[in-house]
Amino acid sequence: MNDLVRQHTALSESDLEWLHLLVSEWQLLSDLSFADLVLWVPTRDGTRYVSVAQMRPNTGPTSYQDDMVGHLVPRGRRPLLDAALDEGRIVREGDPEWREEVPVRVESIPVRREGRVLGVIARNTNLLTVRTPSRLELTYLQSASDLAQMIAAGTFPFPGQQVDMDASPRVGDGLIRLDAEGVVQYASPNALSAYHRLGLASDLVGHHLGRTTDELAPARGPVDEAMVRLASGYAPRETEVEGSGGVIQLRAIPLKPKGTRIGSLVLLRDVTELRRRERELITKDATIREIHHRVKNNLQTVAALLRLQARRMDSEQGREALNEAVRRVGSIAIVHETLSQNLDERVEFDDIADRVLAMVAEISPGKIVCRRTGRFGILDAEVATPLSMVLTEIIQNALEHAFAPGEQGRVDVSVVRSGDSRKHRGDSARSDARLLITVQDDGRGLPEGFDPHRSGNLGLQIVRTLVEGELGGGFDMVPAPGRGTRVALDIPVEPQK
């Protein structure tokens, strides 16, 4: 719609925002009218109309099989559009049009904003299935007529009341028509069922909806005046009401076809099961976070016990082995601490990597600088945990073996994340996202004839097992250009969402 309006019309950005607000609401008008809606806007030179939006009803058959958006029509070809635009009134004159042997009643509703007519809504009703209307259908049509008059007067939609139609109740979910005093004139079967679930034992017609709703709320005592006014339809608002047997979502729409409120529409939806599932998910998420928190605490306890045992060791070799175990446990604890603060099993790994670097650097035999370039991004927990251990082992290995005691040096960790997209082949989708990680030091380099894939070093064995076995990636260790050692990791990951 933005492109069509800016390309063909002279409407301002504020006018375009009004049209967006209208389009966010007009599913309501379409459903109440049992009709297709097409929004026509005059072109910049005033010689044609361009259709910028279209809506089909959920309550009846469509009048248009084709998409009308983008069509241009010369002025004069559709007299009802001309009359509505020029005279600023709803135009209903004329016989039904025949489209592919289907009679269609066409009406034109001017779209007014601040006294100016911006465009025209063509309301097209398929008459093929017309029959004697029921009380529900008559209520729908009367409410649609009131809304159409409000659009023509520029009082609907309501400024500042942007509605998410995916989350708000729709006409078919449940509808109640109120008079000016807030008394129920009509309640659809779905609406009545929703109130019965709240605990209502009688019919709704003839009852004051605001007071009835307040009585069904679980809180007893003083009357909730805000709830009474909202459920009585005095202002355009949304809320949820929870009773002893369920939860309903309410949306009130005041009807002011001639400037004075004559009543209200209340759309409602039974969201009991939806809220129950949401509570279950919240409880599940809280339980998972609590588990990660307890695992982190237990790992820190294990690390503390190992550290205490290391202090009591007489053997330098045994003490160092226990300290290495402390760092390995600590790297896993960092991941669980991060997971305990998240709502899902995915973590921002850059913070974890920086904490691992700082933790391992504490055992540096000299003034060794560790730094990271590039971003790991968001990783799943099953990747983050082994990867944190892999980084711990590689950096610890570099600090212990690449530099002499007291020697200055540097360890650089560089990360490139590539292919964060889904590529489709036929009906299947696969991820090409990969982490290319390089850890390079400027130390003494590898011994002559060293083979990292056959080395008996425990740290390298852990790295090989985790990278190749658990992460399904590749690992290599080679002499760095000039001086030092380079470790390269190639790990497949899920694309970032």
Side-chain angles (χ1 to χ4, degrees), residues 11-19 113-114 116 118:
L11 297 182
S12 65
E13 289 299 316
S14 59
D15 292 335
L16 179 57
E17 286 302 315
W18 182 261
L19 295 184
R113 174 179 181 264
E114 296 179 351
R116 297 181 297 113
L118 307 182

Side-chain angles (χ1 to χ4, degrees), residues 51-82:
S51 58
V52 298
Q54 179 179 1
M55 178 58 66
R56 292 183 173 90
N58 294 317
T59 52
T62 182
S63 301
Y64 286 111
Q65 298 299 325
D66 299 327
D67 186 5
M68 295 297 296
V69 175
H71 282 218
L72 290 165
V73 174
R75 184 178 171 87
R77 179 174 295 180
R78 300 194 177 183
L80 296 185
L81 294 182
D82 298 339

Side-chain angles (χ1 to χ4, degrees), residues 29 58 86 99 106 149 226 236 356 364 382 416 437 439 449 475-476:
L29 177 62
N58 294 317
D86 297 339
R99 301 175 187 166
V106 181
Q149 292 182 57
V356 167
S364 170
E382 56 264 29
V416 175
I437 306 167
V439 181
F475 157 74
D476 200 8

